[in-house]
Amino acid sequence: MTVKYTSDHEWIRSEAGAPATVGITVHAQDALGDVVFVDLPEVGRSYQQGDVAGVVESVKAAADVYMPVTGEVTEVNEALRADPSLANTDPLGQGWFFKVKLADASQLDPLMDETAYGAFARDAS
């Protein structure tokens, strides 16, 4: 299993042969505050890397959720839609946003690992 991070504060967890899981980082949910609404992408729709795939709204702000890789959305987290606070309480687990079938796994290579993202997030604060 590999977890990578984007400069837009999304994480993507991939395992060989399975759709990758995407969510927002702890840093992102900290910056947003209490999440009150999520707009999730449409299952079956394909996105290019960098496309806006959803929106997360909090009591403080709204932010786009970007597609970290090119691919097709295979599943969305209906539990998150029903309880958006999962993005705050468990952003790297139960608060995932959607799953995507990768069009090109090599797009994961330039994304940040945990150490690089940690330094990036500290500098972004």
Side-chain angles (χ1 to χ4, degrees):
M1 174 175 35
T2 301
V3 180
K4 296 285 194 136
Y5 300 85
T6 73
S7 59
D8 295 311
H9 306 286
E10 289 90 22
W11 57 265
I12 181 166
R13 182 174 49 238
S14 64
E15 296 182 51
T21 305
V22 177
I24 63 170
T25 65
V26 171
H27 176 82
Q29 69 83 29
D30 280 346
L32 284 167
D34 293 336
V35 174
V36 295
F37 174 78
V38 293
D39 181 21
L40 300 172
E42 180 183 337
V43 172
R45 181 169 173 200
S46 293
Y47 292 85
Q48 295 297 309
Q49 185 177 37
D51 285 354
V52 174
V55 176
V56 58
E57 294 181 11
S58 72
V59 295
K60 292 198 284 188
D64 291 330
V65 176
Y66 296 95
M67 183 63 76
V69 293
T70 299
E72 178 185 337
V73 175
T74 61
E75 184 179 350
V76 296
N77 187 352
E78 293 297 342
L80 182 64
R81 194 187 315 263
D83 182 6
S85 70
L86 289 171
N88 295 115
T89 59
D90 193 10
L92 304 177
Q94 296 296 316
W96 62 274
F97 277 58
F98 56 89
K99 295 188 179 188
V100 60
K101 180 180 176 184
L102 303 172
D104 180 1
S106 71
Q107 288 182 328
L108 294 169
D109 295 341
L111 300 179
M112 292 176 269
D113 63 14
E114 185 173 2
T115 302
Y117 178 74
F120 174 81
R122 277 190 302 281
D123 291 344
S125 296

